[in-house]
Amino acid sequence: MTDLNRQLQFETLQLHAGQSPDPTTRARAVPIYASTSFVFGNSTVTSSRRVEICRGGRDLYPSLSMARGANPLLGGLATSTPVSATPHRQRWKEGWRQSRLLLGNPPNSWPFPQLQAPGITSSPLTFKKYGIGVKFVLGDDPEAFEAAIDEKTKAIYVESIGNSKYNIAAIPDLAKVAHKHGIPLIVDNTFGMGGYLIRPISLGADIVVHSATKWIGGHGTTIAGVVIDSGKFDWTRSGKFSSFTEPSKGYHSLVFSETFGPSAFAVKLRMELLRDLGPALNPFGAFLLIQGLETPSLRAQRHSDNALALATCVAPAKSSQSLTTYISTNSWLSNHPKVSWVSYLGLPNHGYHERAKELLRPDAFGGVLSFGVKGDITVVSQAVDNLRLASHLANVGDAKTLVIHPATTTHQQLTADEQLATGVTPDLIRVCG
């Protein structure tokens, strides 16, 4: 009798380990899934799986890291390598490598407390392992940032528009503070919709980063990041950036600040980190992003128009309508009896509405909004699970309508107080469409 549990040999493993016929299409070869995100299942099950992951469990599907680790192609790669240790695919957010290059050891930088959950956890924990200190300024008052700056401070890092409070950074004032102390202002402009909604460099920022996965790509097919150097910052003035002002041994003692001037950052990023660490975008991914770059104005404006229409009280709801039906039929949130609040920059009652009118493109307030559902967390989860057209996944900027319940997904690893600090409440549902 054949022992099915025996150790398979190398020749067998190289053909069969880690991959089975695709259950949907029955394809025998490994399919290519050109998707950045994967839809969550039942909210309660998703939440329990997150707890299991935190306890060291192996049920990692669907991954809650933007539901990206759920790509079956990656799983097949990881388990079908019998020769050496199982590989783990590392994804570099572009802001990480530029920060590591820029900050050196041991720096301090100050982002907002309203950063997305991965920023909250990676900044103080991951950066610490590399000798990078990170401190948070409570609120967004430029004076509070200035009070936090000391001799070790190498940069101010903020989001142009925060997630999930949609707070808008006072970029012109923060740039003045940063430049007064001889340090750059770095802005994550992901929610700036590829620069259509807000252009931080024109407001004084020195370096801008984007998650190109969102509005730049626009179709949820490619994971990538972008770094944009304004070419205006003086890396020699403060004396804090020795890697720019001292000879580079890897390039025959070339001094980047002398040879390339204000463009030293962009050149150094390519010549050293891109070469040495290799976070290069694959050609097909680059092609998809270029296609997306041809239409951001069309998509971003429609996203903004849709979000404003959804948020604005235009027509009263019928009390007999369920919340799911109300949203799915493209009706309006503000007047629905089961909605307790709506947060959108285009609403006059939003705390950053006036700043939005000052800094954002006229007649555009962004493509993302949040609202609160009356009832306990079970009611909120049911509202999400019962949606028909909207997809429950952790992404924004897709051509399709996306929703998520952050308290049980992207922000679940945070404490209740940490969730509140980022603007996440148990009743919150985020919509991008």
Side-chain angles (χ1 to χ4, degrees):
M1 182 176 180
T2 302
D3 182 6
L4 297 179
N5 295 319
R6 74 183 188 279
Q7 179 62 46
L8 299 177
Q9 299 302 307
F10 182 98
E11 291 80 2
T12 302
L13 289 171
Q14 69 184 2
L15 280 173
H16 298 283
Q19 192 263 329
S20 300
D22 181 72
T24 302
T25 64
R26 311 307 297 170
R28 188 61 187 90
V30 179
I32 295 175
Y33 298 90
S35 180
T36 64
S37 305
F38 292 80
V39 177
F40 291 122
N42 178 276
S43 296
T44 303
V45 175
T46 298
S47 179
S48 65
R49 281 178 171 171
R50 178 64 191 175
V51 173
E52 178 66 16
I53 292 170
C54 293
R55 291 174 178 171
R58 297 183 59 83
D59 186 4
L60 303 183
Y61 187 86
S63 164
L64 296 187
S65 177
M66 295 299 288
R68 288 171 179 159
N71 194 317
L73 188 59
L74 300 185
L77 172 63
T79 57
S80 64
T81 311
V83 181
S84 60
T86 301
H88 295 273
R89 182 181 178 189
Q90 301 297 322
R91 302 185 185 92
W92 291 76
K93 182 168 182 176
E94 299 289 345
W96 157 252
R97 64 182 175 120
Q98 57 92 5
S99 297
R100 182 68 183 90
L101 166 65
L102 172 68
L103 299 179
N105 294 310
N108 293 319
S109 63
W110 280 266
F112 284 146
Q114 292 92 347
L115 290 174
Q116 172 73 316
I120 296 272
T121 55
S122 68
S123 293
L125 300 179
T126 304
F127 283 9
K128 183 179 180 180
K129 299 176 183 178
Y130 293 88
I132 298 177
V134 177
K135 293 183 179 180
F136 291 87
V137 169
L138 298 178
D140 55 9
D141 184 353
E143 293 184 0
F145 278 79
E146 184 164 24
I149 294 174
D150 60 26
E151 70 279 359
K152 294 182 178 180
T153 305
K154 296 291 188 69
I156 294 177
Y157 186 103
V158 300
E159 291 177 318
S160 57
I161 302 173
N163 177 22
S164 302
K165 285 187 175 180
Y166 314 125
N167 51 296
I168 300 178
I171 295 176
D173 295 329
L174 289 172
K176 292 178 182 178
V177 170
H179 297 159
K180 176 181 176 180
H181 293 273
I183 59 177
L185 173 64
I186 307 173
V187 178
D188 183 330
N189 196 33
T190 297
F191 270 51
M193 309 176 90
Y196 176 79
L197 193 62
I198 182 171
R199 304 183 70 179
I201 289 176
S202 66
L203 298 174
D206 300 293
I207 298 168
V208 175
V209 298
H210 293 263
S211 171
T213 306
K214 315 302 192 299
W215 282 275
I216 290 177
H219 296 82
T221 61
T222 309
I223 297 175
V226 174
V227 181
I228 303 170
D229 180 11
S230 69
K232 299 178 181 179
F233 186 76
D234 183 356
W235 298 99
T236 64
R237 175 190 156 202
S238 67
K240 292 185 175 183
F241 305 100
S242 58
S243 64
F244 289 88
T245 58
E246 295 179 358
S248 171
K249 294 182 180 179
Y251 283 97
H252 308 288
S253 297
L254 176 150
V255 178
F256 279 88
S257 60
E258 294 179 357
T259 305
F260 302 105
S263 299
F265 180 86
V267 177
K268 188 176 179 67
L269 198 64
R270 284 179 173 271
M271 291 177 63
E272 288 194 341
L273 288 194
L274 183 62
R275 179 198 67 177
D276 297 343
L277 302 181
L281 184 62
N282 70 84
F284 183 59
F287 168 78
L288 292 176
L289 294 179
I290 290 172
Q291 302 306 299
L293 279 172
E294 294 181 352
T295 57
S297 63
L298 301 177
R299 292 181 286 104
Q301 189 61 52
R302 182 59 65 87
H303 273 283
S304 295
D305 294 344
N306 288 348
L308 181 62
L310 184 62
T312 305
C313 177
V314 176
K318 298 178 180 179
S319 58
S320 60
Q321 281 184 297
S322 70
L323 180 59
T324 299
T325 301
Y326 199 69
I327 300 173
S328 297
T329 56
N330 197 32
S331 197
W332 322 104
L333 288 173
S334 295
N335 209 34
H336 195 282
K338 296 181 182 179
V339 172
S340 55
W341 55 269
V342 179
S343 176
Y344 181 61
L345 283 170
L347 297 179
N349 63 358
H350 193 281
Y352 288 84
H353 179 70
E354 292 303 316
R355 187 175 291 176
K357 291 195 296 183
E358 176 187 354
L359 298 181
L360 303 187
R361 175 182 288 270
D363 300 319
F365 295 95
V368 186
L369 64 87
S370 301
F371 65 95
V373 177
K374 295 178 181 179
D376 58 23
I377 199 167
T378 302
V379 175
V380 183
S381 295
Q382 288 176 345
V384 172
D385 291 340
N386 291 335
L387 291 172
R388 295 182 180 179
L389 292 180
S391 298
H392 181 204
L393 55 81
N395 198 14
V396 291
D398 196 311
K400 303 174 182 65
T401 300
L402 310 179
V403 301
I404 196 161
H405 182 221
T408 56
T409 53
T410 55
H411 289 65
Q412 193 191 45
Q413 74 271 31
L414 302 182
T415 66
D417 289 341
E418 288 172 337
Q419 288 188 11
L420 289 175
T422 66
V424 171
T425 55
D427 63 341
L428 182 151
I429 293 176
R430 187 186 73 190
V431 183
C432 177

